[in-house]
């Protein structure tokens, strides 16, 4: 019999998607590579548009390396701020629109993320993120 928390993660509901999102934030800022490996799809694509208009892209391996470098020596609890704007589920697809204050791009930056997820192998997995950086003074 699966643990209660494990069962919730297998559901295709907004509640389960929000739980995956919270786990993604926790795992990202604490660089829990085992958890991130489960949450990030093997075909992950990340597109980042910086506040100066530069476009960067990366895959799963690049994302994990970036997180390791960004959060080395940081206190994870300092980077859990988030404002969720929208969460939706349609069949095996999910979407989250969220703003975060994390040190990628600099300490005074706000990052807006459009995150696409797919429910595959019994769990929600991030397949694509599109991130926009802006000064935190322009906070959502």
């Amino acid at each position: 019999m699966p643990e209660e928390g494990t069962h919730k993660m297998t559901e295709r509901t907004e509640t389960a998607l929000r739980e995956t999102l919270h786990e993604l934030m926790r795992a990202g800022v604490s660089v829990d590579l085992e958890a991130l490996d489960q949450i990030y799809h093997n075909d992950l694509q990340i597109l980042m548009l910086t506040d100066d208009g530069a476009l960067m892209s990366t895959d799963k391996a690049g994302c994990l390396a970036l997180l390791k470098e960004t959060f080395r020596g940081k206190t994870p609890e300092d980077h859990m701020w988030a404002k969720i704007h929208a969460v939706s589920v349609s069949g095996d697809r999910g979407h989250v629109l969220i703003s975060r204050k994390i040190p990628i791009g600099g300490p005074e930056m706000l990052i807006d993320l459009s995150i696409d997820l797919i429910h595959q192998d019994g769990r929600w997995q991030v397949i694509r993120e599109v991130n926009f950086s802006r000064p935190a003074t322009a906070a959502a």
Side-chain angles (χ1 to χ4, degrees):
M1 181 171 183
E3 296 177 26
E4 183 177 324
T6 305
H7 174 70
K8 288 182 182 177
M9 296 298 275
T10 65
E11 295 176 12
R12 295 182 192 187
T13 64
E14 286 185 19
T15 299
L17 191 61
R18 285 177 183 270
E19 289 175 6
T20 299
L21 179 63
H22 182 74
E23 178 60 17
L24 173 62
M25 291 188 304
R26 186 209 59 79
V29 300
S30 61
V31 195
D32 181 342
L33 297 179
E34 187 174 319
L36 290 170
D37 187 54
Q38 292 296 304
I39 297 170
Y40 283 133
H41 194 276
N42 287 337
D43 296 329
L44 175 70
Q45 176 189 31
I46 297 181
L47 299 170
M48 298 168 276
L49 189 60
T50 64
D51 65 329
D52 62 0
L55 178 64
M56 300 183 303
S57 64
T58 192
D59 59 8
K60 185 175 181 176
C63 174
L64 295 177
L66 177 65
L67 290 172
K68 282 171 61 174
E69 181 64 28
T70 299
F71 290 103
R72 183 184 353 199
K74 301 270 195 281
T75 305
E77 296 78 23
D78 292 343
H79 305 288
M80 288 298 291
W81 183 91
K83 181 176 181 181
I84 299 172
H85 303 283
V87 175
S88 62
V89 171
S90 180
D92 67 347
R93 300 292 176 159
H95 181 259
V96 175
L97 184 60
I98 186 172
S99 296
R100 302 278 320 275
K101 290 181 183 176
I102 52 179
I104 296 174
E108 300 300 321
M109 297 303 288
L110 184 76
I111 300 178
D112 298 311
L113 302 98
S114 175
I115 304 172
D116 293 312
L117 298 98
I118 186 168
H119 195 276
Q120 195 173 69
D121 297 329
R123 66 188 188 278
W124 284 109
Q125 298 177 56
V126 176
I127 189 116
R128 180 177 43 237
E129 283 187 13
V130 180
N131 307 338
F132 304 90
S133 296
R134 59 191 165 112
T137 55

